[in-house]
Amino acid sequence: MKARQIIVPLVAVIVFLIAWEALVWIMGWPNYKMASPSDLIPAYERYWGLFLTMGWQTLWRTVAGLVLAVIFGVALGMVMGFSRTMRDALYPLLVGFNAVPKATVVPIVALMFVGWHDFNTVLIAFMISFFPIAVSVSIGLSTLEPEYRDILRSLGASQATIFWKIALPKTLPEFFGALKVAVTLAFIGTNLMEIVSPHGRGLGALFDSGKTNSDYPLMFAVLIALAFLGIVLYYIVVALEKTFAGWADRTV
Amino acid sequence: MMPDDMIDKLIDITAVRHSYRTASGPLPVLDGLELSVPEGGFVAVVGPSGCGKSTLTRLVAGLLIPDEGEVRVHGTRITAPRSNVGMAFQNPVLLEWRTILQNVLLPLEIVPNKLSRAEARDRARRLLALVGLDGFEDKRPSELSGGMKQRASLCRALIHQPEVLILDEPFGALDAFTREDLWQTMHKVKAEEPFTGVLITHDLRESIFLADRVVVLSSRPARTQFVLDIPDTGLRTLDDLYTPEAAERLNILRHQIEVAQGRTPAGDAA
Ligand SMILES: Nc1ncnc2c1ncn2[C@@H]1O[C@H](COP(=O)(O)OP(=O)(O)OP(=O)(O)O)[C@@H](O)[C@H]1O
Ligand SMILES: [Mg+2]
C-alpha cells in the first residue's frame, strides 16, 4: 500500500517527462521555443547555488504570507461567521477586493513600498491568499447547525468553549480545503512580485534574469523548481489535514 | 392521577407568552402556555407542526427567556442556561471527530462535577451498555446507524445526571421498528437512571407508551389545550398499545389534534 502510493505518482512523473522530451524531439523545436527535460539538467548544474538561495527566498516569503493569511483569514472568518451584521458589512468589501486582479496591484505595492522587497513580496502573497480562508471559516461557522450550539449552551458553556470544542474542529475540513487553494495562490503572489520588482530576488527574479539573458532552459528550469516547491507545500498541507481533520475522510 | 396542586413541581411553566422578532414583525409563538412536571414525571408534548414545541424546550433549557410569564425549575426562575439539563434532538449532532465514548463524555468537560476521569469513563460505559451500545465505545459516529447514533445521543444527555431531560422528537427520523426498540430502551433507562423528562413528539402512540402525561398544544401561537394523564400500570410492553384503553386514549388525542389543527370544532365527540 505504502510503496504503491510512492511508485504510482513517480511513474506518472517519469512518463510525463519522457512524453515531454519526445514531443520536443519529434516536433524538432529549438530550445528557445520549448526546452526539453534534457536541457534542464545543465541549467540546474550551472545555477545550482542560485537555485538553492533563490528557492529559499521564494519559499520563506510564501510561507510567511500564508501564515499571515491564515491568522488574518481565520480572524476575519470568525468575525463574519459569528456576527450577521459584520458578515453583511464585510462581504461586499471582501468580494470587491478579491475581484481586483492582483497583477494590477503588484506594481502599485511595488512602488508604494519601494526598496522593501521582502515586505512587498510577503504582503502580496498574503493579500492574494487570505480570501478563500476567510470565506471558508465564515461559512463553516455560520452553517453550524443550531443544535450543536444548543447542546453546549444548555450546559452553560461560554462562546469560547463552544468555539474550541465544536465550531473550530467542525470547520477544519473546509479550512484545509481553502488552505490548499491558498498555497497555490500565495505562490503566484510571491512570484508576481519577484518578477516585477527591479533588483528582485527569489525564483521569480531568476526567471526574469533568464528572460533578459534569453536563457530559455533557465526559465523552464525555474518553472519546474516552482512546481516542485508547490508540490512540497501542498503535501505538507495534506499531511496537516490528515493529522487534524482525518476524521472527515470517509474514503478510508 | 397527578393532582394539579402538586407541590413538588420540578418544572413549572406559568402563563408564558413569547414572540420571535422576524423581518416581517413579531411572530407570536406561545400564548398562555401552562405546563408542570413533577419530580420523576415524564410529560409528552404533542401539537400541530410549527406550533412552538421546540420553542418550549428552549425555554426550559434556559436558551430562551420568555417575553411574559415564568419558567421555574426546582422553584428557581430560569433566566439563563444552567447545567442541569440534558438535551437530545431529532438530529443526533454527535461530534464526528470524537469516538462514541468521547462524545458521551462531552457534558462532563463543561459541567462542574466530582467524577474522576476513570469514574466518568465507567459511567459512560455503563450508560452505553444500558442502551445496547457496548462494544461501540471506540467507534466513530459515522460508523453507527441512525438508531445507534440516537442511543449515543441519549447517553450524552444523561451522563451528567441532569435534573431535566429534554427530548425534541428524538425518534422522529427513525423507521418504525427501530423507534419501537428505542421506546423499550427508554423504559429501561428510566428504571435505571431516573429522570424528569419532557418529550416532544409527533407520534401519539409514542406519547402514550412513554409518558405519564400527554399535553396537547393548540396551533401557533400555542397554548395548553388539553392534558391527558396516563395511569401508572407498572412496566409497559408494546402489547399495551393494543388494549381498549390505549385505543380510547389514542382516539381522544387524535380528536384533540384535529381540534388544534382547526379541522374539528371542539364540541364534537371523538
Ligand atoms: N429563531 C427563530 N426566529 C424566528 N422564528 C422562529 C425561530 N424559531 C422558530 N421560529 C418560528 O416559530 C414557530 C414555532 O417554531 P418551533 O420550532 O417552536 O415549532 P415546533 O412546534 O417545534 O415545529 P415542528 O413540529 O416542525 O418541530 C415556527 O413557525 C417557526 O418558523
Ligand atoms: Mg420542533
Side-chain angles (χ1 to χ4, degrees):
Chain A
M1 187 65 204
K2 204 79 187 139
R4 208 180 139 254
Q5 277 173 341
I6 297 171
I7 290 169
V8 170
L10 208 64
V11 169
V13 169
I14 292 169
V15 168
F16 172 76
L17 289 177
I18 291 173
W20 178 3
E21 184 77 45
L23 185 71
V24 174
W25 188 75
I26 290 167
M27 303 300 281
W29 282 325
N31 71 10
Y32 56 82
K33 192 163 184 185
M34 180 84 171
S36 65
S38 56
D39 295 327
L40 301 183
I41 296 165
Y44 283 124
E45 265 170 7
R46 211 157 65 175
Y47 302 110
W48 187 239
L50 269 181
F51 268 101
L52 281 185
T53 50
M54 296 301 191
W56 167 244
Q57 288 281 338
T58 301
L59 185 66
W60 83 254
R61 288 161 167 175
T62 306
V63 170
L66 268 176
V67 168
L68 289 178
V70 167
I71 294 170
F72 182 75
V74 168
L76 193 65
M78 278 172 68
V79 168
M80 292 197 305
F82 281 129
S83 157
R84 186 73 235 221
T85 319
M86 291 308 272
R87 187 153 69 245
D88 291 344
L90 293 177
Y91 236 105
L93 271 176
L94 211 62
V95 171
F97 178 83
N98 193 52
V100 175
K102 294 300 169 295
T104 61
V105 180
V106 169
I108 297 175
V109 171
L111 276 181
M112 250 177 170
F113 304 101
V114 70
W116 302 13
H117 184 49
D118 285 340
F119 177 81
N120 276 339
T121 316
V122 172
L123 182 66
I124 285 290
F126 157 75
M127 278 167 67
I128 205 170
S129 61
F130 80 87
F131 183 77
I133 295 174
V135 170
S136 76
V137 171
S138 89
I139 290 178
L141 293 181
S142 62
T143 54
L144 185 69
E145 290 99 321
E147 288 100 332
Y148 281 101
R149 235 173 265 263
D150 287 352
I151 286 279
L152 287 201
R153 265 188 66 208
S154 69
L155 297 171
S158 65
Q159 284 294 338
T161 309
I162 294 176
F163 178 75
W164 286 114
K165 292 228 183 262
I166 293 189
L168 179 75
K170 211 170 163 44
T171 309
L172 281 182
E174 278 106 352
F175 167 79
F176 279 109
L179 191 57
K180 286 180 198 165
V181 177
V183 165
T184 322
L185 289 176
F187 255 111
I188 296 174
T190 315
N191 279 285
L192 279 177
M193 186 54 88
E194 288 172 352
I195 292 172
V196 166
S197 290
H199 316 298
R201 273 163 294 148
L203 287 177
L206 195 58
F207 179 84
D208 201 45
S209 78
K211 204 173 80 184
T212 21
N213 300 323
S214 305
D215 188 344
Y216 300 104
L218 174 60
M219 291 167 74
F220 276 94
V222 169
L223 293 189
I224 298 296
L226 281 172
F228 176 74
L229 282 186
I231 290 171
V232 169
L233 267 193
Y234 184 87
Y235 278 101
I236 289 175
V237 173
V238 169
L240 289 173
E241 182 181 27
K242 268 229 171 74
T243 313
F244 292 107
W247 52 268
D249 187 1
R250 295 286 169 74
T251 57
V252 282
Chain B
M1 293 289 281
M2 290 179 290
D4 262 0
D5 58 359
M6 206 138 183
I7 340 157
D8 61 335
K9 290 172 183 160
L10 186 77
I11 306 174
D12 195 13
I13 300 180
T14 43
V16 158
R17 190 198 269 267
H18 191 77
S19 302
Y20 283 115
R21 274 165 292 280
T22 65
S24 50
L27 176 76
V29 177
L30 302 174
D31 192 356
L33 186 75
E34 309 278 340
L35 185 89
S36 65
V37 188
E39 181 137 25
F42 197 9
V43 169
V45 177
V46 297
S49 185
C51 73
K53 301 182 293 297
S54 297
T55 306
L56 161 68
T57 64
R58 296 170 58 78
L59 289 175
V60 176
L63 295 169
L64 206 64
I65 310 304
D67 295 342
E68 280 175 44
E70 50 185 44
V71 179
R72 287 178 183 274
V73 174
H74 249 357
T76 314
R77 189 162 175 185
I78 300 294
T79 52
R82 306 190 324 151
S83 48
N84 61 353
V85 298
M87 296 185 97
F89 311 97
Q90 178 167 342
N91 179 353
V93 290
L94 297 173
L95 313 184
E96 287 166 62
W97 53 95
R98 289 176 173 234
T99 64
I100 296 302
L101 189 72
Q102 291 167 336
N103 262 288
V104 172
L105 288 169
L106 177 73
L108 292 179
E109 295 165 23
I110 293 152
V111 177
N113 65 85
K114 295 187 194 70
L115 294 182
S116 71
R117 233 177 110 76
E119 286 169 332
R121 286 171 160 268
D122 277 352
R123 179 169 161 70
R125 286 215 165 82
R126 212 156 37 71
L127 279 174
L128 284 168
L130 185 60
V131 300
L133 280 183
D134 29 351
F136 289 89
E137 292 87 351
D138 298 324
K139 293 262 188 291
R140 302 268 165 176
S142 56
E143 299 172 83
L144 266 58
S145 71
M148 291 156 100
K149 282 184 199 166
Q150 212 45 264
R151 288 169 200 270
S153 158
L154 194 63
C155 293
R156 179 180 59 188
L158 287 167
I159 186 85
H160 54 300
Q161 293 184 294
E163 282 186 297
V164 179
L165 179 66
I166 298 172
L167 304 171
D168 192 348
E169 296 185 45
F171 317 126
L174 305 176
D175 67 88
F177 299 121
T178 310
R179 197 181 309 165
E180 290 181 356
D181 256 5
L182 268 148
W183 293 350
Q184 283 164 312
T185 302
M186 280 306 294
H187 275 302
K188 213 166 96 188
V189 168
K190 185 122 174 36
E192 296 274 321
E193 290 271 332
F195 56 78
T196 304
V198 178
L199 167 76
I200 309 293
T201 177
H202 274 133
D203 186 335
L204 297 181
R205 291 166 70 239
E206 176 172 302
S207 74
I208 66 165
F209 184 66
L210 289 180
D212 39 43
R213 172 179 280 187
V214 182
V215 174
V216 181
L217 299 186
S218 68
S219 56
R220 195 183 69 224
R223 66 182 161 75
T224 307
Q225 176 183 303
F226 182 78
V227 177
L228 178 72
D229 284 318
I230 318 274
D232 185 7
T233 53
L235 201 63
R236 292 178 200 173
T237 66
L238 284 174
D239 289 339
D240 295 338
L241 284 173
Y242 302 95
T243 60
E245 291 88 352
E248 171 69 19
R249 286 183 196 120
L250 286 174
N251 248 330
I252 295 172
L253 289 173
R254 202 168 293 130
H255 171 68
Q256 286 297 333
I257 292 285
E258 282 175 9
V259 172
Q261 289 172 328
R263 288 196 285 155
T264 314
D268 284 11

